[in-house]
């Protein structure tokens, strides 16, 4: 599934750790918003990892499932992300 993962974290060290966790699944994104292809298991794992890192009083994180069949609205220099199959060995 395709998900939009976004977060706002106050502590710079936690922000870097969450960025590394999220970037492992990202196929595109900018700053703290990332499109991520993940299985349900990977989503649960990332959810737990982020939940362990954030401060519930000052930080926030959101994960939205996206329909990969829908067409995005693109503005400015935006371009559609490639979703061609890939394999990491």
């Amino acid at each position: 599934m395709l998900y939009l993962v976004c977060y706002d974290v106050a502590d710079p060290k936690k922000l870097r750790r969450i960025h590394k966790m999220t970037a492992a699944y990202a196929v595109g994104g900018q700053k703290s918003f990332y499109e991520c292809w993940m299985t349900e298991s990977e989503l649960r794992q990332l959810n737990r990892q982020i939940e362990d890192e954030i401060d519930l009083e000052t930080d926030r994180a959101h994960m939205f499932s996206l329909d990969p069949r829908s067409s995005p609205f693109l503005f400015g220099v935006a371009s559609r992300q490639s979703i061609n199959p890939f394999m990491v060995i």
Side-chain angles (χ1 to χ4, degrees):
M1 281 292 298
L2 181 62
Y3 296 92
L4 178 64
V5 178
C6 43
Y7 47 85
D8 182 14
V9 178
D11 182 272
K13 289 181 183 179
K14 289 183 179 185
L15 178 63
R16 280 192 296 278
R17 286 195 298 264
I18 291 174
H19 168 75
K20 285 182 182 180
M21 290 176 210
T22 305
Y25 302 100
V27 293
Q30 184 176 3
K31 303 233 180 197
S32 297
F33 283 74
Y34 293 93
E35 294 174 83
C36 300
W37 286 100
M38 294 184 279
T39 65
E40 288 293 321
S41 171
E42 291 168 330
L43 177 65
R44 285 191 302 273
Q45 178 181 349
L46 182 60
N47 189 4
R48 280 191 304 271
Q49 290 175 319
I50 289 176
E51 189 174 25
D52 289 344
E53 287 289 333
I54 66 170
D55 180 335
L56 298 177
E57 298 294 320
T58 60
D59 304 333
R60 67 180 123 198
H62 303 275
M63 296 181 185
F64 303 97
S65 62
L66 302 175
D67 185 344
R69 298 168 297 170
S70 65
S71 296
F73 294 99
L74 305 172
F75 302 98
V77 296
S79 62
R80 188 174 180 118
Q81 295 295 322
S82 171
I83 56 172
N84 293 328
F86 62 91
M87 181 181 295
V88 178
I89 299 175

